[in-house]
Amino acid sequence: MEWSWTVVLDVMPKMLAGLVITIQATFIGAILAYVLGLMLAILKMSKSKPLAFSVYWSSEFVRRTPLLVQLYFLFYVLPDFGIFLEPFTAGVLGLGIHFSTYTSEVFRAGIENVPKGQWEAAKSLNYTPYQTMRYVILPQAIPPMIPPLANYLITMFKETPLLAAITVVELFNAANIYSNSNYKYLEPMTLVGVFFLLVSVPAAIAANRLEQKFKPEEVR
Amino acid sequence: MNKIIEFQGVSKSFGDLQVLENLNLHVMSGEKLALIGPSGSGKTTILRILMTLEPIDSGIVMVDGDYLWHQKTDNKLEPASEKHLHKMRQNICMVFQQFNLFPHLTVVDNIVQPQVLIKKSNKNDALNKAEELLALVGLEGKESQYPHQLSGGQQQRVAIARALAMDPKIMLFDEVTSALDPELVDEVLTVLHQLAESTDTTMLTVTHEMNFARDFADRVLFFDKGKIVESGPPDMIFTNPKEARTRDFLKNFIGKI
């Protein structure tokens, strides 16, 4: 089999369009995963035992089942209940919900690492629970969370080819569609790999930098 | 003078350990109280109950004429709601052993933020007040530093300024010098002593510094095993204690008083 630059040129525009979808899905999915994850974390730490318990176990359930199955559920099963989602919407929701169960653990650990004295000082100054979270706890909890959260962003990016299963034409699916109709696999699939590398290697380096930057200070 | 704090038959346990047993205590408005006694005798718990950090098991606590841990609805006494506790906390502020300054805020922001958020002061007034209080505790020029850049004694003085900024009627000091290196203790105690002389704020302090307790307090309470063993003016407690247990405890401090 010979490498053909004609095929490369031919598939490139479709793949670039796919790459845009991949990046969009990653970022929107990540924002969802962060926001939802923070809410889950707060609920998991709720004083109400039944609430904390049920949130914990439903999030464990989502975490311990494959994302692919969840995507199928959102896209192919929900319509049976009258809920129709666009492929992209279902994909982003799936990514966001699935990864929120991971990020919630990052948030929970980060929040629990803030010393108890900080909560007590806030109470002593009569901060409301919201003000305590917003002005005292999160500003201290978030910096050390940034590196693991960035790593989940990279993981989510690498998981986006799963969205092909629900007909989203992201980077991998764009190549796949081309391959299937032209019986050319070498160039498109190699390009998929190259594209993923081109994004995730610099991203990993950036995440590493963040880790250095937010290393816990030795002097407290 | 009116009673600003009143404990009526208050009990509190942590698991099997009873830290307060049917405690009765009242504090007059403006009074400066020192709580002394062995570790685990329940003195810190009293402050934590007043700060609403620790609920009571039974009994009643009154602060400034209102129930602290209860509220009256339709003439029935019910456990206090979060809203009621929030209202009651307006009167009280606590300074902690570990300072508990907000490490992500500068010194001045530590004092400004609570004023802006809780007392709804405008930023400029809050800033002026913060400067004033920092001068009072001898920390002019440290405004833009972060807590970790300060010594323990300086951090504790910032914490005192932060509490003062809230204009509480009652200030609670929980072993505020226990976490400090010995050479830094005096600068904090001096500030507290000046405060005690110059304000009519009611102050309760838990301390192991007997010299300070004697100079600072109008009244000293000696605690042991969840009960007040002896209470009286400092001169009486330190020079002529009636109870054997008080004498035994104070023996440990001979030479330091």
Side-chain angles (χ1 to χ4, degrees), chain A residues 197-210:
Chain A
L197 266 181
L198 281 180
V199 178
S200 45
V201 169
I205 292 170
N208 222 329
R209 289 241 174 99
L210 285 176

Side-chain angles (χ1 to χ4, degrees), chain A residues 33-152:
Chain A
Y34 295 157
V35 173
L36 219 57
L38 178 58
M39 294 192 323
L40 285 178
I42 291 170
L43 290 175
K44 277 188 209 173
M45 289 183 289
S46 159
K47 274 186 211 142
S48 150
K49 284 271 144 58
L51 179 67
F53 185 83
S54 51
V55 173
Y56 175 79
W57 281 107
S58 32
S59 110
E60 278 300 288
F61 174 72
V62 172
R63 192 145 75 116
R64 305 293 175 202
T65 49
L67 173 56
L68 184 61
V69 178
Q70 290 156 15
L71 289 171
Y72 261 66
F73 194 88
L74 286 168
F75 190 64
Y76 294 112
V77 178
L78 282 188
D80 290 347
F81 298 93
I83 301 167
F84 297 87
L85 298 173
E86 292 290 323
F88 183 80
T89 314
V92 162
L93 267 180
L95 272 177
I97 293 170
H98 188 81
F99 279 92
S100 71
T101 62
Y102 288 86
T103 59
S104 73
E105 285 302 299
V106 175
F107 283 114
R108 194 178 59 85
I111 290 169
E112 282 177 355
N113 274 339
V114 177
K116 197 168 147 245
Q118 293 290 312
W119 296 85
E120 295 191 340
K123 198 169 211 179
S124 156
L125 295 164
N126 212 6
Y127 281 37
T128 63
Y130 169 78
Q131 288 169 331
T132 304
M133 202 44 116
R134 162 78 179 73
Y135 296 102
V136 179
I137 304 303
L138 287 183
Q140 295 180 59
I142 285 178
M145 291 175 191
I146 289 175
L149 290 180
N151 279 319
Y152 277 123

Side-chain angles (χ1 to χ4, degrees), chain A residues 116-129 131 135-137 139-140 217 219-220, chain B residues 48 51-53 86 89-90 92-94 96 100-104 113-114 117-118 148 162 166:
Chain A
K116 197 168 147 245
Q118 293 290 312
W119 296 85
E120 295 191 340
K123 198 169 211 179
S124 156
L125 295 164
N126 212 6
Y127 281 37
T128 63
Q131 288 169 331
Y135 296 102
V136 179
I137 304 303
Q140 295 180 59
E217 279 177 58
V219 191
R220 261 280 146 131
Chain B
R48 293 178 59 83
M51 197 59 257
T52 75
L53 296 172
H86 186 75
R89 277 196 288 264
Q90 286 172 1
I92 313 169
C93 200
M94 181 149 163
F96 298 86
N100 297 343
L101 291 176
F102 300 143
H104 58 295
Q113 190 187 71
L117 288 179
I118 312 306
H148 69 90
R162 180 173 72 171
M166 305 310 283

Side-chain angles (χ1 to χ4, degrees), chain B residues 123-243:
Chain B
K123 191 86 192 261
N124 270 332
D125 293 350
L127 213 54
N128 289 336
K129 184 154 194 174
E131 302 276 350
E132 213 173 277
L133 289 168
L134 282 173
L136 183 75
V137 299
L139 288 173
E140 308 95 324
K142 301 286 183 191
E143 287 80 0
S144 55
Q145 306 229 310
Y146 282 87
H148 69 90
Q149 297 172 299
L150 304 180
S151 74
Q154 292 171 328
Q155 291 191 50
Q156 194 59 294
R157 284 185 279 152
V158 175
I160 292 168
R162 180 173 72 171
L164 283 170
M166 305 310 283
D167 293 320
K169 290 184 185 162
I170 302 166
M171 288 184 84
L172 310 170
F173 298 96
D174 183 21
E175 301 195 24
V176 290
T177 57
S178 298
L180 298 177
D181 294 334
E183 71 272 20
L184 301 176
V185 168
D186 277 345
E187 63 185 56
V188 173
L189 294 183
T190 308
V191 165
L192 283 186
H193 198 237
Q194 284 165 358
L195 269 183
E197 309 262 277
S198 61
T199 68
D200 50 11
T201 310
T202 309
M203 295 182 175
L204 276 67
T205 171
V206 168
T207 183
H208 294 296
E209 301 284 337
M210 296 305 145
N211 261 327
F212 166 69
R214 187 169 59 187
D215 295 343
F216 166 90
D218 304 322
R219 181 154 61 109
V220 177
L221 300 180
F222 173 67
F223 271 83
D224 195 18
K225 301 195 174 87
K227 285 181 167 167
I228 301 172
V229 176
E230 194 164 354
S231 132
D235 281 345
M236 189 196 101
I237 299 282
F238 289 114
T239 53
N240 193 17
K242 288 197 197 88
E243 300 290 328

